[in-house]
Amino acid sequence: MELLGQPVRHISFGEGTIRNISDRYITICFTQGEKKFLYPDAFFKFLKLKDTKKQKVLDERNRQRLKIEKAEKQKEQERLIRRRKIRTMKIGPNSQAVFHVELQQAEKIAERGWIQTGHYLSGASKGKPRIPRRLKPNSVCLITGLQKGEEERDRCILGAFAVREDFLGDLCQDGVIEWHEKHRILLTPETALPFWEYFEHDGQIPRWGKVPFKYFSNTIMQRILSELVTQSEDTQQEEDVNEFYRYFCRMNRLTAEKTEAEGQDEGDIVE
């Protein structure tokens, strides 16, 4: 909408004409001289276009602008509240998850950006989505699988993703865990890591069973992510995984350069 040359009325200076408009200011010529005002803020307070149709258009634009600014301010406030909650939330020692998937499904799961927790197999909640109560914004999920005909000891790590920063497992009633928009990695068959090498098992590999996922310790996840940095295929991937690793350490209040034991002994995996 063209405003240059449009007549206006000011509550104190009377009638004038718009002479210039910049990103932040509007210049109006009155009988007593030129005056500058904040634009478009002045039209909310003491300026009005004499053309009522154009004034209505301007009013609507201003309403939309304020609506967007309010939404952005609210979003920023929510972000700050989330950050405060993350800084003060209790970190459980086993708040990481490992999932079993079919190898041919790993890439498809990565493309869609979410994974399901499966269903309870017994008890009062049988058939309902399994609620990942231990998972919080500090959690990372590993994707693992086996080639057809392989034994459990051959299970390999196919990828990893952080959960979204607003994810709370005890509120996840539908059993759907969405991936973090940034911190995620999918490995190739050449760079896949052997899963059970990170656990103590005295040569006796635990049986996986029928559950789609299990919990394990934060310190083991730190070791895995640290090793993934060295497995990166190119410089960009290395930078992305390194940032992922440091994000994980920050969220779990761990030192990136040194792993400190916490909670259960390394080697435990929790149903």
Side-chain angles (χ1 to χ4, degrees), residues 188-223:
T188 64
E190 293 74 28
T191 58
L193 301 176
F195 174 70
W196 288 111
E197 284 191 6
Y198 297 93
F199 297 85
E200 296 177 0
H201 44 69
D202 297 324
Q204 186 66 37
I205 302 296
R207 188 177 69 89
W208 183 274
K210 297 181 179 180
V211 294
F213 78 94
K214 303 178 183 233
Y215 298 105
F216 67 101
S217 79
N218 306 344
T219 51
I220 291 181
M221 182 64 86
Q222 184 184 27
R223 285 174 51 200

Side-chain angles (χ1 to χ4, degrees), residues 83-84 93 98 127 153 177-178 185 187 203 230 239-240 259:
R83 289 187 64 181
R84 284 196 293 269
V98 52
R153 69 176 60 253
I177 303 175
E178 294 186 15
I185 180 174
L187 302 178
T230 65
E239 291 177 358
D240 292 343
T259 302

Side-chain angles (χ1 to χ4, degrees), residues 70-237:
K70 182 179 179 181
E72 290 176 347
K73 185 177 180 180
Q74 182 176 350
K75 187 176 180 180
E76 177 62 16
Q77 288 176 336
E78 290 173 352
R79 187 185 69 83
L80 293 174
I81 290 172
R82 270 201 316 274
R83 289 187 64 181
R84 284 196 293 269
K85 285 183 177 179
I86 289 172
R87 285 198 298 267
T88 59
M89 73 178 178
K90 183 178 180 180
I91 303 294
N94 293 284
S95 56
Q96 314 304 314
V98 52
F99 284 78
H100 167 78
V101 302
E102 300 296 331
L103 260 65
Q104 61 271 24
Q105 294 295 316
E107 189 170 344
K108 184 177 181 180
I109 291 172
E111 289 176 355
R112 74 188 185 195
W114 53 270
I115 197 167
Q116 289 182 305
T117 61
H119 298 81
Y120 290 107
L121 302 177
S122 61
S125 298
K126 183 177 179 179
K128 295 182 180 179
R130 187 177 173 191
I131 299 175
R133 300 187 186 280
R134 299 189 185 196
L135 301 188
K136 294 183 179 181
N138 66 300
S139 300
V140 167
C141 297
L142 283 184
I143 301 174
T144 69
L146 299 168
Q147 294 281 3
K148 187 175 182 180
E150 286 185 331
E151 297 181 358
E152 180 58 38
R153 69 176 60 253
D154 300 315
R155 180 177 296 278
C156 61
I157 298 171
L158 307 172
F161 68 92
V163 302
R164 288 174 41 153
E165 291 184 29
D166 58 355
F167 182 83
L168 294 173
D170 53 0
L171 300 180
C172 181
Q173 300 295 315
D174 59 1
V176 173
I177 303 175
E178 294 186 15
W179 297 28
H180 192 286
E181 61 182 10
K182 182 176 182 181
H183 299 303
R184 55 178 73 182
I185 180 174
L186 189 65
L187 302 178
T188 64
E190 293 74 28
T191 58
L193 301 176
F195 174 70
W196 288 111
E197 284 191 6
Y198 297 93
F199 297 85
E200 296 177 0
H201 44 69
D202 297 324
Q204 186 66 37
I205 302 296
R207 188 177 69 89
W208 183 274
K210 297 181 179 180
V211 294
F213 78 94
K214 303 178 183 233
Y215 298 105
F216 67 101
S217 79
N218 306 344
T219 51
I220 291 181
M221 182 64 86
Q222 184 184 27
R223 285 174 51 200
I224 293 172
L225 290 177
S226 178
E227 190 158 334
L228 283 175
V229 175
T230 65
Q231 295 289 322
S232 300
E233 296 181 310
D234 54 58
T235 303
Q236 183 58 55
Q237 188 182 66

